[in-house]
Amino acid sequence: MAEDLLKVSDLVIQFKTKKGTLTAVDHVNFTVKKGEILGLVGESGCGKSVTSMQILGLNPKENTQVPEGEILFEGRDLLKLTQKELRAVRGEEISMIFQDSLTGLDPVIPIGKILVEAIRAHHKEISKKDAWNKGVKVLESVGIPSPEKRMHEYAHQLSGGMRQRVMIGLALLNDTKLVIADEPTTALDVTIQAQILDLLKKRQEEKENSVILITHDMGVVAEMTDRIAVMYAGMIVELASTRDIFTDAKHPYTQGLLKAIPKLDQPDNEKLYIIEGTVPPLGQRGDGCPFANRCEYATERCRNERPEPHTDSNGHMVRCFRAEEQDKEV
């Protein structure tokens, strides 16, 4: 079995607001093994991006606090690193593809200069000319036409698909051990989406790096990932292999996400399935299961008591009283 590259243990992330201190991520636990693609799925507002940003220490420091937890990367706790040490990790050992490619690229700096600076920030022994040539090759490798020309252009001069390819090129520039891809295909058409996902998968296989793929698209994770962590209201509510999630989902929320996937053989007059309600906002998640107000199986116990993680003999973890009882009956 592959060893853990990243291990997140009992991570709690809080934000200081005018309404007080609010918990956005509540005792999250997951691992990413070497050479693995882990899918992190859930609706908007579930804490996926906040969790991933904290791995690299990118949440705003003036109002973010982490009272509990560890983020171990190859045995080092990233939460204990200084800003200087974290900067050495970013781009060299862990890279990130951000959701919005337009704001992720500096609008007043040409693409080529961005790439050269990203290379030389970690490899000062490389000359600017060699870094420039490497940047051209990176753009070519991610499928950007006329890469030499694009090196002289600015972000606003590129299409959304090209900008996203540049972001992927930046993330893969220094062959990092872990790539965090936060909604890497947001706002792209399906053709470009497929090309970008294929590119990400191909590079992961070639370099044997690890990937955290953050998305709300269950179809994407079905094709791309080895394991899936389902996040809801700041907690991991289910974690298992991709096969187990799709064949034997145990949490009602995961089951709802799977039901919501459009089917090719669905009758034209049949409405798409939706999970009624919304993710409870910060500060309104109560003491019970945060999914209780949307769950058809919720009991009084669910509304008043928060379920603890339960892991079966196959390593399938779920936070649900009903799923735990069903597992005991088997």
Side-chain angles (χ1 to χ4, degrees), residues 156-318:
H156 71 273
Q157 295 177 282
L158 305 182
S159 68
M162 283 190 183
R163 286 198 301 268
Q164 201 64 39
R165 287 169 186 264
V166 172
M167 293 293 289
I168 291 176
L170 274 167
L172 303 178
L173 201 57
N174 294 314
D175 296 331
T176 56
K177 299 172 184 176
L178 174 64
V179 176
I180 302 172
D182 190 357
E183 301 281 5
T185 57
T186 295
L188 301 181
D189 62 67
V190 292
T191 304
I192 298 299
Q193 180 186 86
Q195 291 173 358
I196 286 176
L197 291 174
D198 285 345
L199 171 64
L200 194 60
K201 180 74 171 177
K202 181 180 178 181
R203 288 299 295 263
Q204 181 269 332
E205 291 173 345
E206 288 176 352
K207 304 297 182 180
E208 296 184 344
N209 59 354
S210 301
V211 178
I212 299 177
L213 178 61
I214 302 169
T215 182
H216 55 260
D217 190 327
M218 296 299 285
V220 168
V221 292
E223 293 292 328
M224 291 284 294
T225 63
D226 301 297
R227 290 188 302 141
I228 297 173
V230 181
M231 199 164 191
Y232 186 79
M235 298 190 302
I236 302 293
V237 296
E238 188 161 9
L239 175 60
S241 69
T242 301
R243 178 183 291 275
D244 283 351
I245 290 291
F246 277 86
T247 60
D248 187 27
K250 298 180 182 295
H251 198 284
Y253 179 60
T254 310
Q255 294 169 356
L257 292 177
L258 294 174
K259 286 181 186 178
I261 300 175
K263 298 176 178 60
L264 291 175
D265 59 353
Q266 187 166 322
D268 293 340
N269 60 350
E270 184 179 322
K271 291 183 178 180
L272 292 174
Y273 177 84
I274 61 171
I275 304 174
E276 297 292 343
T278 58
V279 180
L282 299 184
Q284 298 180 29
R285 293 177 176 175
D287 297 324
C289 174
F291 190 63
N293 66 329
R294 305 174 71 185
C295 181
E296 61 181 302
Y297 307 110
T299 64
E300 199 62 28
R301 183 188 182 192
C302 298
R303 297 183 182 91
N304 294 295
E305 185 181 340
R306 183 156 295 183
E308 294 296 323
H310 169 74
T311 304
D312 67 15
S313 57
N314 295 319
H316 191 141
M317 188 284 288
V318 64

Side-chain angles (χ1 to χ4, degrees), residues 115 133-143 169-170 173 203:
L115 291 170
N133 292 333
K134 183 176 181 180
V136 172
K137 290 181 180 179
V138 165
L139 293 188
E140 185 178 14
S141 73
V142 296
L170 274 167
L173 201 57
R203 288 299 295 263

Side-chain angles (χ1 to χ4, degrees), residues 61-192:
K61 292 174 179 54
E62 60 273 13
N63 66 340
T64 304
Q65 57 188 36
V66 183
E68 297 181 53
E70 290 182 327
I71 302 178
L72 299 180
F73 179 73
E74 294 190 318
R76 293 172 293 165
D77 190 349
L78 299 181
L79 294 174
K80 294 180 180 179
L81 298 186
T82 64
Q83 281 303 304
K84 182 178 181 181
E85 291 170 332
L86 268 177
R87 281 195 294 270
V89 171
R90 297 174 191 147
E92 173 68 17
E93 299 183 78
I94 304 175
S95 56
M96 188 165 186
I97 304 170
F98 295 94
Q99 285 189 40
D100 189 344
S101 59
L102 186 58
T103 57
L105 296 169
D106 195 314
V108 298
I109 299 179
I111 298 301
K113 187 175 181 180
I114 293 174
L115 291 170
V116 168
E117 288 183 353
I119 294 169
R120 300 193 75 239
H122 300 284
H123 301 283
K124 290 182 171 56
E125 73 280 4
I126 297 179
S127 68
K128 289 184 179 180
K129 181 179 179 180
D130 288 341
W132 180 275
N133 292 333
K134 183 176 181 180
V136 172
K137 290 181 180 179
V138 165
L139 293 188
E140 185 178 14
S141 73
V142 296
I144 291 181
S146 306
E148 182 71 45
K149 175 186 175 183
R150 304 302 177 190
M151 291 282 282
H152 296 279
E153 295 182 341
Y154 295 84
H156 71 273
Q157 295 177 282
L158 305 182
S159 68
M162 283 190 183
R163 286 198 301 268
Q164 201 64 39
R165 287 169 186 264
V166 172
M167 293 293 289
I168 291 176
L170 274 167
L172 303 178
L173 201 57
N174 294 314
D175 296 331
T176 56
K177 299 172 184 176
L178 174 64
V179 176
I180 302 172
D182 190 357
E183 301 281 5
T185 57
T186 295
L188 301 181
D189 62 67
V190 292
T191 304
I192 298 299

